[in-house]
Amino acid sequence: MKEAISNVMLSDYGYLLYLALILFSTKLFGLLTKRIQLPQVVGALAAGLVLGPACFGLVTETDFIKCVSEIGVVVLMFTAGLETDIKEMKKTGLASLVIAILGVIVPLGAGWAISTIFNTEETAGMSSVLMQNIFIGVILTATSVSITVETLKEMGKLSSKSGNAIIGAAVIDDILGIIVLTVITSTAGSGGEGSGGGDILMTVIKIILFFVFAIIVALLFNFIFNKWSGRSKKDLRRYVIIAFVFCLIMSFSAEYFFGVADITGAFVAGLALSNGPRANYLNNRFGTLSYMLLSPVFFASIGLQVVLPEMSMSIILFSLLLLVGAILSKIVGCGLGAKLCRFSNKDSIRIGAGMVSRGEVALIVASKGAAVGLMKDEYFAPVVIVVVVTTIITPILLKFAYKSKNGEDESEIQTPAAETK
Amino acid sequence: MKEAISNVMLSDYGYLLYLALILFSTKLFGLLTKRIQLPQVVGALAAGLVLGPACFGLVTETDFIKCVSEIGVVVLMFTAGLETDIKEMKKTGLASLVIAILGVIVPLGAGWAISTIFNTEETAGMSSVLMQNIFIGVILTATSVSITVETLKEMGKLSSKSGNAIIGAAVIDDILGIIVLTVITSTAGSGGEGSGGGDILMTVIKIILFFVFAIIVALLFNFIFNKWSGRSKKDLRRYVIIAFVFCLIMSFSAEYFFGVADITGAFVAGLALSNGPRANYLNNRFGTLSYMLLSPVFFASIGLQVVLPEMSMSIILFSLLLLVGAILSKIVGCGLGAKLCRFSNKDSIRIGAGMVSRGEVALIVASKGAAVGLMKDEYFAPVVIVVVVTTIITPILLKFAYKSKNGEDESEIQTPAAETK
């Protein structure tokens, strides 16, 4: 009826079509990549590329798609938390720290080294060449763990020892990333932003406060929720809703009050409920919400954001080198960290592969750097290429890393079965 | 990590908090209304009022909330279609037509009659007083069936004979509404919009074309989907996704190509799959998607839109009369229609009560009328009041209408159980 009223409103219903296109193509491409023995995530990412401005330009990213995809990654990390065995996590805690630290240092050095080859001349109005080159390294430090989580889930490896180490390291990586970024932008000082040491101290204090807050709230909520939801023997919808509310509030608080990523808050929320009597039930329901709406939109939206600008020969060369550096430095850095902590060779490679993907965080860091004179605009394209390729290649690397010697896929199905892709 | 980057982006995560507030308060209020023997929908609607500008103004309606709530009502009508017994629907088809026609004529007359008492003076630049008064009647014709569908679902009465008659009548009501609206706006002729008879003919042709299109596509899809999904014995996620895609495309097509409500398209899509081997499975999964995210946002968003302006004494009186007229005219009109078609007295009252609620369609019709000079701006507040009160009162009326004589609630649980509110 609404439509008859005003022809101007015709395009108001575009999002219904967008959503249909996203759901259909992520599923179709996902099944195609599954056919050729690759994770479905690869197909979903490719679907976004095909639908977006990089290819056919059928779907544009709206506010609606942005919000749904962000809730998608929040729910993804929440369920990752739900599936995590806290005892196992504690065991791999130190290892995760070592992996994360080496996974920040090695890419930082690699990015700086590659950049020094190309970026040599001082430019007026910008930070020194040295700082610029270090900044390229900073961009390479940010791991985006969501793709890895989805891939490990699909292969049933999320709660393996290596899976635990990856998630722990990714969370710590995120924290280290904030500190490194704060340090470097506070040295930039253009636009009157940097107040040097004070900034860094504030950031570290906020991070510490977040963890104090998160641990207290998680323990409290864990106690109250488990007591409350244990009273009835039935599976009630209210448990799911309250768990969702908790997840959203933790995500929001992490970003808003502490400057920590929303997905870190969501992960902690999931951890808080992981040992409760309703963990399986919650996991099942959130799984349905994810696969029916949130995940397809999230994975497609990554591809939707890709726009490739024209590039000079020198920039293309730089992109290729940066890409190789980005992939190898994480595998080497994190793999070395894992090896130091007595993981097997195979597990070390798996952990390294799982940390390769960079996500939208790298893009946000890059734009922040460009704004304060730490990065030249022409380096945007290489960063975009690194993000896109590392994102698509990570599930493929993981697939091979988790294959056993005789070529058989080791995956054991861990999902409550009955429903498959 | 993002947050540390730019403090300006702090409010970017507001929607996480909004969603948390909506989920929490709709559930809390829903459980409270359930305590006092009222449907949970009443609580969810009240939650929106409390969160919105009418009360605390904690949550504002964003593009994200609008899209999610529209998808919510689309999915709601899709599942209503899924649960509909087509054979039963055919049986009640003629009755639905009679109920819908009387349910349009009686409120049209009532609105006109009430309006003639208050609106008597010609105003420059507007349509004649007669047309203005008829237009108030037109506003009263638009039934919003979503609240009724949710209430009947909650009470397990959706597939009852009266439930079928209500849904059928609501769909037809929607079609009649488009025709009546086209007729009256084409007479307004201000702003060079109305082209008279041509408009009306076009509208009718488009509606007929929609049904031809819908029937052909539904039959085709029914055949292909049932064959495809019948091949495997497992419940596969792809069936859910493809069904969702079909639902979205039918909704979009209805609005975009034929000027018919998106929810009518969604309902037809649901009907097309209602007799297939996966109907229960689909219903179950869409139910989860609904209660976890879409429905709470949809019901809250209705309350969020309510803003009550200041009113003169005369307008308050008009509002009260219009409200009484709106409620009684649907009960009498639709009840009479049902009675004519040999429904029992009790069922006739149920059907009348189920058609009482007006939704956002009435508001859209009103703004369209104001734009073409068919309605004075001061009548907006009364229309808002009618929409709000009829929406909240409908589940309450239904609750009492479906109570049996001895005061016992007749509800039988029809949901696949195992999971309750």
Side-chain angles (χ1 to χ4, degrees), chain A residues 31-359:
Chain A
L31 291 176
L32 286 176
T33 47
K34 197 185 168 196
R35 254 306 144 85
I36 55 171
Q37 309 290 323
L38 286 177
Q40 295 204 45
V41 182
V42 181
L45 292 167
L49 280 174
V50 170
L51 290 176
C55 197
F56 290 114
L58 290 172
V59 176
T60 41
E61 216 200 11
T62 61
D63 187 43
F64 163 68
I65 292 180
K66 266 184 213 160
C67 290
V68 172
S69 73
E70 190 66 23
I71 294 171
V73 64
V74 160
V75 167
L76 189 65
M77 289 305 290
F78 176 68
T79 53
L82 269 180
E83 289 178 29
T84 302
D85 185 333
I86 296 186
K87 278 181 205 155
E88 191 62 38
M89 191 100 193
K90 277 185 192 154
K91 267 191 246 164
T92 58
L94 184 66
S96 292
L97 182 66
V98 175
I99 294 165
I101 290 175
L102 280 169
V104 164
I105 294 174
V106 178
L108 190 66
W112 166 76
I114 294 166
S115 189
T116 51
I117 308 174
F118 293 85
N119 187 32
T120 49
E121 280 173 46
E122 297 286 345
T123 317
M126 293 197 61
S127 300
S128 69
V129 163
L130 174 68
M131 293 312 292
Q132 285 181 41
N133 293 341
I134 292 178
F135 186 75
I136 296 291
V138 171
I139 295 174
L140 293 196
T141 63
T143 286
S144 163
V145 76
S146 49
I147 307 290
T148 299
V149 166
E150 178 68 15
T151 310
L152 292 177
K153 271 194 174 186
E154 206 181 317
M155 303 194 303
K157 295 291 180 192
L158 191 59
S159 349
S160 65
K161 199 182 162 201
S162 48
N164 265 308
I166 291 174
I167 297 176
V171 168
I172 299 168
D173 176 283
D174 205 66
I175 304 302
L176 295 177
I178 300 171
I179 298 173
V180 173
L181 183 71
T182 314
V183 172
I184 189 146
T185 51
S186 69
T187 64
S190 79
E193 289 204 43
S195 62
D199 261 17
I200 303 167
L201 189 67
M202 249 333 269
T203 306
V204 174
I205 290 176
K206 272 179 151 186
I207 291 171
I208 294 170
L209 282 179
F210 171 72
F211 281 98
V212 173
F213 162 84
I215 290 169
I216 294 174
V217 173
L219 286 175
L220 261 177
F221 190 79
N222 174 280
F223 178 75
I224 296 169
F225 185 85
N226 289 349
K227 201 154 187 187
W228 172 60
S229 69
R231 274 199 319 216
S232 166
K233 277 187 184 162
K234 277 191 288 187
D235 278 336
L236 297 173
R237 292 180 170 189
R238 65 194 71 163
Y239 302 148
V240 181
I241 298 289
I242 295 304
F244 199 2
V245 169
F246 179 60
C247 158
L248 290 167
I249 287 178
M250 290 296 280
S251 308
F252 175 77
S253 305
E255 288 276 2
Y256 192 78
F257 298 113
F258 305 99
V260 173
D262 52 359
I263 55 173
T264 306
F267 180 71
V268 173
L271 275 185
L273 300 176
S274 62
N275 67 348
R278 305 289 167 186
N280 269 338
Y281 169 61
L282 293 176
N283 201 8
N284 189 297
R285 288 304 177 275
F286 279 95
T288 301
L289 180 66
S290 266
Y291 86 77
M292 282 185 74
L293 178 68
L294 302 178
S295 280
V297 174
F298 169 58
F299 292 114
S301 81
I302 296 174
L304 284 179
Q305 291 166 34
V306 176
V307 192
L308 284 181
E310 288 178 42
M311 299 182 291
S312 68
M313 211 41 221
S314 148
I315 287 292
I316 292 176
L317 196 63
F318 176 66
S319 305
L320 287 176
L321 268 176
L322 195 67
L323 177 61
V324 174
I327 296 171
L328 290 183
S329 64
K330 277 285 179 190
I331 297 182
V332 171
C334 299
L336 198 67
K339 194 68 203 149
L340 282 179
C341 299
R342 302 190 186 180
F343 277 86
S344 68
N345 284 341
K346 194 178 258 177
D347 269 349
S348 300
I349 290 173
R350 287 168 178 169
I351 290 168
M355 301 285 285
V356 161
S357 84
R358 316 301 202 276

Side-chain angles (χ1 to χ4, degrees), chain B residues 63 135 200 219 222 262 307 325 330 355 406 416:
Chain B
D63 187 42
F135 186 75
I200 303 167
L219 286 175
N222 174 280
D262 52 0
V307 192
K330 277 284 178 189
M355 301 285 285
N406 51 32

Side-chain angles (χ1 to χ4, degrees), chain A residues 351-381:
Chain A
I351 290 168
M355 301 285 285
V356 161
S357 84
R358 316 301 202 276
E360 76 292 351
V361 177
L363 295 175
I364 296 172
V365 172
S367 28
K368 175 72 182 171
V372 299
L374 274 166
M375 196 187 82
K376 289 174 187 151
D377 284 342
E378 65 203 88
Y379 291 141
F380 254 117

